[in-house]
Amino acid sequence: MTIDDLRAFGANVEEGLTRCMNNEAFYLRLTAKAVSDDAPERLCAALRVGDLDAAFEIAHQLKGVYGNLALTPLFSVASGLTERLRGREPGDYLPAAERIVALRDELRALL
Amino acid sequence: MLAFKEKEKEQEKEQAPADVLPGLHRYSGKRSVLVVDDEAVNREMLSMMLSDVYDVLCAADGEEALEIMRREGERLSLVLLDVRMPKLDGFAVMEIVRGDERLRRIPIIVLTSERSYEVRSLRLGATDFIKKPYDEPEVILARVERIIELSESTTIISHTERDRLTGLFHREYFFQYVEQYDLRHAQLDVDAVQVDVYNFRLYNALYGHDAGTELLRRLGGILRDFLRETEGFACRQEADVFLLYVTHREDYDRLLGRWESRLAEDRRFSSVRLRAGVCPHADKHMHVQQRFDCAKAARETLGRLGASVAVYDSALHERELFARRLLDDMDESLADHRFKVYYQPKYNVTGSEPVLSSAEALVRWDHPDLGMVSPGVFVPLFEENGLISSLDRFVWREAARQIRLWRDRYGVTLPVSVNVSRMDMYDDTLTETFLDIVRESGLSPRDLLIEITESAYTDDAGRLIAVAEELRRQGFLIEMDDFGAGYSSLNMLAQLPIDVLKLDMSFVRHLRSNPKNLYILRAMIDIKEHLGVPMVAEGVEDEEQLKLLKEMGCDVIQGYLFSPPVPPEKFEKRIESRTQS
């Protein structure tokens, strides 16, 4: 995985790098750590059993991490899902969670 | 005496704060911060941002965070705390920290972008927030730095704004708080109160320094308890003097009683007496310090027995104003010759007819607005204030000038006695001054009789004896004033070189009312005969007293029977009639 890969993915690389004191290796290492995590799978599982509290918790957490790394496509989905779960808005949450898994997998493939 | 003073000083010193800056790392010299977040990415990212400037410790959940906080204590400058975490969440951590005396001082920044968490976090003691996703590192660093700075400056305040011994405010902070309080509560009816322990030194002396300290500590605790039930503040001003600024009340008597009984729980303090001076309904236009001065003035009117509470009222205020005025006016009156020296004649009664033998110089104040002010009013005031020295010197000089004038005019030298105040005794140039004065008027030292009062020196007899010896060496005659009053000590008499014994006026006055006084007088006469000095009785008002004193062997009589103190012009008549006869 390179900075260009992330840029191609849609990440706001400049913002992410700034938070990492412009240390590219550090940024890439943190991103690798983030995409290695199975939280998106746990999110899907919680939604499947209807545990919306747990789902909110995980979505919220993912939103924070993706936000900090400026992984914009992942961040916007996680953020939207978090807000919907917070308000317990009607509708199916699972497609958004699966979208997170898919996007995460895209990055995982680059490792 | 000195030893007690030293101890009081030490007790004041115990409030000295240890101004140790918390949070400075033992080894690196960097401040330590703790980052708590269950997400490794967030944790590491923050650490990365902070690690140039700070030593960063990390915890992945609340339990670990607490463990580190307990271990590091005040060495931690700041905690950056996530809210949502497994095991123990951020709120639970803050709850625990808030109840921990040691940890609660460490500032906490909460890592959240949830607005709904902010109020709750603030209530739990959070100082600030950092939202996620994080701002630029510069912003976060600036925030962290600001919070640490703020916390350190307030920590220093909290170290020093309170007196360590009593847990009450220090005086400076106390006055500041009172001022602030008045600004916000201009309408409230409040009292300025000064409380002290009667004869506090005694507790140091009787039970040791530690007991004195313990007494103060307990009293501090009692006052802190009291402040929980009423609105106000308190501080320890110095040694055993406490100041209170509290909602007005009338029952200070009862309150002191309650505090005394709480102190008495320790047997050593069962006889502690507290005293309070109250400046009620504090006038907010008056400076804070002044209100407490009033409370102090009231407290100072309290003696050993009787009331334990004194309220500053208009009578006391009037007295103070009057005293202030006299003190203020003294210099001007001296310059304007408003002080007059009067002379009261003394008659030698050893012969068949009383013969004018000498005089006593007494000062009178013809105040421009108040008329004649009694020396009984202004002398004690000037003594307290130190102004008495310049007034004394004026009288001495004036008396010498007068002796010379009479000598020139009538060809007789009439010795005049002058009073030396206690303060003068501590003036190393005293003998020089007297010598200058007699030299200026061309007199000999024997023409000026120097009256000293022995009773004022019960605690420093050595000084009195040394000064008297020195004056005598130069040829001055020493008259011992107020003999037989209060504390006259035969022991001192044996050591003190004197030329005249002067019997106290009140003793003369009570000569007849108490037959025992006659025996005492007999004994005194024996003493003066033994010492081979003449005895003067002052305050003699009638023939009967004169007859008695004369029969007993008294040599010289001064009193209204012959003449009150009179201005020099009037006195001269007596010299004239003497020289004529």
Side-chain angles (χ1 to χ4, degrees):
Chain A
M1 189 166 38
T2 65
I3 294 295
D4 285 338
D5 288 341
L6 288 175
R7 193 173 281 125
F9 173 75
N12 186 340
V13 175
E14 280 64 40
E15 191 187 308
L17 272 172
T18 303
R19 289 198 190 99
C20 294
M21 311 296 280
N22 293 314
N23 184 329
E24 287 187 11
F26 182 66
Y27 179 42
L28 291 174
R29 191 164 66 72
L30 285 189
T31 306
K33 198 174 231 171
V35 299
S36 310
D37 195 60
D38 287 336
E41 278 77 11
R42 283 187 279 116
L43 174 61
C44 292
L47 286 171
R48 283 194 190 97
V49 297
D51 186 348
L52 297 187
D53 286 340
F56 172 75
E57 206 72 45
I58 300 164
H60 190 268
Q61 192 183 351
L62 285 174
K63 173 191 152 191
V65 174
Y66 297 154
N68 274 337
L69 290 170
L71 303 175
T72 316
L74 276 165
F75 173 71
S76 45
V77 182
S79 178
L81 180 58
T82 304
E83 292 319 303
R84 283 171 61 211
L85 279 166
R86 185 201 305 277
R88 294 290 190 270
E89 284 170 25
D92 195 355
Y93 302 111
L94 201 55
E98 283 168 346
R99 176 80 187 129
I100 291 174
V101 176
L103 284 167
R104 196 269 331 262
D105 284 346
E106 259 182 55
L107 289 177
R108 224 183 227 190
L110 296 168
L111 291 178
Chain B
M1 264 339 186
L2 197 64
F4 297 152
K5 279 247 155 82
E6 299 268 302
K7 278 175 183 164
E8 273 171 37
K9 280 229 178 82
E10 270 175 43
Q11 265 152 347
E12 287 188 23
K13 257 192 257 161
E14 295 198 14
Q15 51 190 266
D19 278 2
V20 185
L21 277 184
L24 226 49
H25 195 277
R26 284 156 290 180
Y27 309 117
S28 66
K30 284 185 187 172
R31 288 172 172 77
S32 301
V33 299
L34 172 63
V35 174
V36 191
D37 199 309
D38 58 328
E39 267 301 332
V41 169
N42 296 342
R43 225 163 43 220
E44 286 181 34
M45 196 177 266
L46 259 188
S47 302
M48 181 73 173
M49 292 177 189
L50 299 170
S51 59
D52 263 1
V53 186
Y54 302 99
D55 266 318
V56 184
L57 304 169
C58 287
D61 60 59
E63 277 181 11
E64 200 186 337
L66 279 174
E67 206 182 291
I68 294 174
M69 286 180 83
R70 290 194 176 114
R71 189 186 72 215
E72 297 294 317
E74 285 168 331
R75 283 193 296 272
L76 280 178
S77 292
L78 179 72
V79 176
L80 295 132
L81 183 68
D82 184 25
V83 177
R84 297 189 159 266
M85 290 182 295
K87 293 189 191 165
L88 211 58
D89 70 14
F91 290 133
V93 171
M94 282 190 275
E95 195 92 50
I96 292 166
V97 164
R98 199 169 59 145
D100 187 312
E101 202 54 50
R102 195 167 70 105
L103 301 185
R104 62 188 303 171
R105 286 197 187 154
I106 306 169
I108 293 177
I109 294 182
V110 170
L111 306 170
T112 183
S113 40
E114 297 280 328
R115 290 226 61 115
S116 59
Y117 291 171
E118 291 188 4
V119 175
R120 197 171 159 198
S121 304
L122 284 174
R123 285 224 180 92
L124 287 169
T127 315
D128 202 355
F129 304 94
I130 286 178
K131 64 176 173 36
K132 290 177 193 168
Y134 300 147
D135 286 315
E136 289 167 24
E138 290 78 21
V139 176
I140 289 178
L141 274 168
R143 268 204 160 152
V144 165
E145 193 183 334
R146 188 181 66 89
I147 297 296
I148 290 176
E149 228 169 64
L150 199 70
S151 133
E152 286 180 356
S153 61
T154 53
T155 307
I156 291 168
I157 287 175
S158 72
H159 270 310
T160 52
E161 76 174 357
R162 291 196 180 262
D163 168 26
R164 285 224 169 155
L165 185 61
T166 59
L168 300 170
F169 285 124
H170 279 308
R171 181 173 45 189
E172 292 75 15
Y173 287 98
F174 174 78
F175 284 127
Q176 274 179 30
Y177 281 109
V178 168
E179 275 169 10
Q180 291 299 315
Y181 184 80
D182 281 348
L183 286 179
R184 276 178 277 121
H185 305 93
Q187 304 307 315
L188 283 185
D189 188 7
V190 272
D191 300 340
V193 187
Q194 191 190 65
V195 174
D196 78 343
V197 177
Y198 180 72
N199 217 349
F200 173 64
R201 286 176 181 186
L202 188 72
Y203 296 92
N204 276 334
L206 280 179
Y207 302 108
H209 173 233
D210 289 348
T213 305
E214 175 64 13
L215 172 57
L216 296 178
R217 200 185 60 75
R218 278 177 184 243
L219 186 53
I222 289 169
L223 292 179
R224 286 206 314 276
D225 288 347
F226 166 64
L227 291 176
R228 272 183 215 116
E229 57 187 68
T230 186
E231 178 139 358
F233 334 79
C235 80
R236 183 162 75 107
Q237 178 169 267
E238 64 198 347
D240 63 317
V241 180
F242 293 79
L243 304 180
L244 295 166
Y245 197 64
V246 289
T247 311
H248 173 70
R249 57 196 304 150
E250 301 281 347
D251 63 342
Y252 286 103
D253 259 318
R254 204 178 53 82
L255 209 55
L256 290 191
R258 234 174 67 199
W259 296 345
E260 283 167 1
S261 24
R262 278 199 55 195
L263 284 172
E265 286 164 15
D266 183 321
R267 214 163 39 81
R268 292 173 298 176
F269 307 137
S270 60
S271 60
V272 167
R273 286 291 156 262
L274 299 174
R275 300 186 299 186
V278 184
C279 175
H281 316 293
D283 176 358
K284 309 281 169 63
H285 301 297
M286 228 196 254
H287 190 267
V288 190
Q289 186 78 55
Q290 256 177 308
R291 283 176 251 158
F292 282 96
D293 286 346
C294 293
K296 176 172 182 257
R299 208 256 303 140
E300 281 170 349
T301 63
L302 295 167
R304 194 166 66 87
L305 301 166
S308 53
V309 177
V311 175
Y312 189 84
D313 56 10
S314 56
L316 186 54
H317 182 61
E318 290 302 317
R319 278 209 296 283
E320 279 210 314
L321 284 182
F322 185 65
R324 187 69 254 159
R325 173 153 192 204
L326 294 183
L327 291 170
D328 287 346
D329 292 349
M330 192 195 109
D331 274 342
E332 206 184 316
S333 277
L334 259 180
D336 295 350
H337 308 288
R338 284 283 176 178
F339 286 100
K340 312 279 184 199
V341 179
Y342 276 35
Y343 299 86
Q344 188 170 35
K346 299 185 210 175
Y347 282 85
N348 187 319
V349 294
T350 52
S352 55
E353 286 296 314
V355 178
L356 178 63
S357 60
S358 58
E360 179 175 2
L362 295 156
V363 67
R364 293 290 179 269
W365 188 356
D366 183 11
H367 191 280
D369 306 318
L370 305 166
M372 292 305 266
V373 184
S374 161
V377 171
F378 66 82
V379 167
L381 204 61
F382 291 171
E383 273 174 348
E384 204 175 293
N385 205 278
L387 289 176
I388 196 72
S389 293
S390 44
L391 189 60
D392 278 347
R393 277 151 189 71
F394 162 76
V395 175
W396 303 341
R397 194 157 265 122
E398 189 58 28
R401 208 185 51 79
Q402 193 65 59
I403 298 168
R404 176 61 199 236
L405 204 103
W406 285 331
R407 186 165 88 185
D408 293 347
R409 192 173 295 168
Y410 302 106
V412 293
T413 301
L414 201 73
V416 172
S417 41
V418 294
N419 287 281
V420 171
S421 302
R422 182 189 159 87
M423 253 197 78
D424 299 323
M425 286 295 186
Y426 294 89
D427 172 6
D428 288 333
T429 64
L430 182 70
T431 310
E432 271 309 306
T433 305
F434 272 119
L435 284 171
D436 283 348
I437 286 173
V438 292
R439 240 178 258 136
E440 276 166 28
S441 297
L443 301 175
S444 98
R446 305 190 74 78
D447 302 332
L448 212 52
L449 302 172
I450 297 176
E451 286 198 9
I452 55 179
T453 303
E454 163 243 20
S455 60
Y457 298 88
T458 45
D459 57 342
D460 194 0
R463 180 82 200 170
L464 176 67
I465 292 164
V467 173
E469 276 174 351
E470 170 67 12
L471 284 166
R472 280 185 100 231
R473 247 198 308 280
Q474 298 297 334
F476 290 99
L477 298 176
I478 305 295
E479 204 169 324
M480 190 200 262
D481 203 2
D482 299 334
F483 188 62
Y487 297 103
S488 295
S489 116
L490 296 177
N491 186 34
M492 165 110 73
L493 206 56
Q495 300 174 59
L496 188 67
I498 54 161
D499 302 287
V500 180
L501 258 186
K502 195 166 186 183
L503 203 56
D504 181 55
M505 190 187 292
S506 63
F507 186 82
V508 170
R509 209 164 279 156
H510 296 112
L511 215 47
R512 276 166 309 191
S513 59
N514 187 350
K516 274 189 199 157
N517 282 347
L518 278 181
Y519 295 108
I520 297 173
L521 178 61
R522 182 68 254 162
M524 288 176 172
I525 300 278
D526 281 348
I527 290 170
K528 77 110 187 166
E529 275 167 3
H530 185 73
L531 294 173
V533 298
M535 179 182 271
V536 180
E538 63 178 341
V540 179
E541 290 172 349
D542 56 45
E543 290 288 350
E544 203 185 332
Q545 286 171 337
L546 169 66
K547 188 163 169 280
L548 189 65
L549 286 160
K550 202 180 154 178
E551 277 172 14
M552 297 287 272
C554 192
D555 310 277
V556 178
I557 298 293
Q558 176 186 345
Y560 275 61
L561 172 64
F562 291 117
S563 168
V566 291
E569 315 83 72
K570 221 170 159 188
F571 192 92
E572 283 165 12
K573 302 276 187 299
R574 290 176 182 268
I575 306 177
E576 284 166 13
S577 61
R578 186 183 105 159
T579 48
Q580 278 156 17
S581 63

